[in-house]
Amino acid sequence: MKRQDEVKVQALYFMDDGSIPNNSQFPLLIYKSAMEAGDEAMQVLYQNHWSNAWRNGVFPYHHYHSNSHEVLVVDRGSALLQMGGENGEQLEAQQRDVFILPAGTGHKLLKKQADFSVIGAYPNGQDYDICYGKKEERPEKLNNINEVLIPDNDPIYGKQGILFSYWR
């Protein structure tokens, strides 16, 4: 992977839209082209204690996780993702990009190349829920989001990672 000082970081805050709560404390972080050819993303994540990992795509509907942060490493291809719910931003996700979503951050696949895949993982292998922005789930999920702590490690750069410059 690239050295931290070589990585362009984008930090985006999203407001609660009444359906998708997003996260008022921590921004979504995007590390553009942080991974390099030959990097074993799954191994990097495990070394930094982000596990319970999977390889697949992103659901084509708005959803979020209320009880865990999530990292998405674009393994192959590219896609257009909607982050932050209906009023959020459309972002191009390209091979080698890393997206770190704080608990509550809405995400959805809008379109993709046929070979698009991501690797997802969670701090310390936490289990995660899938929330849809329904009114009846909201009170419990808002409480969950507020209880999720900052992870011990940046998923790519470990204990001294970029994440800690943005998440305090």
Side-chain angles (χ1 to χ4, degrees):
M1 68 219 142
K2 288 183 180 173
R3 290 190 348 235
Q4 291 187 75
D5 61 353
E6 297 175 329
V7 174
K8 180 181 177 216
V9 179
Q10 186 175 7
L12 299 169
Y13 284 94
F14 298 108
M15 301 298 295
D16 184 332
D17 69 5
S19 176
I20 303 296
N22 293 301
N23 194 304
S24 61
Q25 275 190 292
F26 307 128
L28 163 74
L29 297 176
I30 305 167
Y31 300 174
K32 291 301 288 180
S33 300
M35 305 303 287
E36 295 181 310
D39 285 342
E40 292 292 331
M42 199 83 77
Q43 182 180 0
V44 170
L45 296 171
Y46 280 122
Q47 286 173 344
N48 292 308
H49 305 285
W50 285 64
S51 56
N52 191 12
W54 49 267
R55 182 182 313 231
N56 203 337
V58 176
F59 292 134
Y61 50 83
H62 291 288
H63 66 286
Y64 65 94
H65 311 293
S66 75
N67 59 352
S68 182
H69 306 301
E70 179 179 39
V71 63
L72 300 174
V73 179
V74 182
D75 189 44
R76 287 194 322 257
S78 65
L80 183 63
L81 303 177
Q82 175 106 31
M83 297 291 188
E86 286 294 334
N87 300 318
E89 289 195 37
Q90 294 182 11
L91 301 168
E92 188 71 29
Q94 298 176 332
Q95 186 174 10
R96 302 187 180 122
D97 289 348
V98 175
F99 289 75
I100 305 173
L101 289 69
T105 302
H107 48 295
K108 171 185 177 178
L109 174 71
L110 296 175
K111 66 181 177 183
K112 66 176 181 156
Q113 287 182 333
D115 65 343
F116 175 71
S117 76
V118 296
I119 296 169
Y122 308 87
N124 298 315
Q126 290 175 231
D127 281 330
Y128 57 92
D129 58 6
I130 299 177
C131 308
Y132 306 95
K134 296 179 181 175
K135 263 186 188 157
E136 60 272 13
E137 70 187 14
R138 192 167 175 82
E140 174 191 1
K141 304 309 178 189
L142 289 174
N143 188 51
N144 290 352
I145 291 164
N146 290 328
E147 292 182 6
V148 179
L149 302 175
I150 294 175
D152 294 332
N153 293 289
D154 179 296
I156 306 302
Y157 297 105
K159 291 228 178 262
Q160 303 301 317
I162 303 168
L163 176 131
F164 303 109
S165 297
Y166 295 89
W167 292 15
R168 295 184 189 129

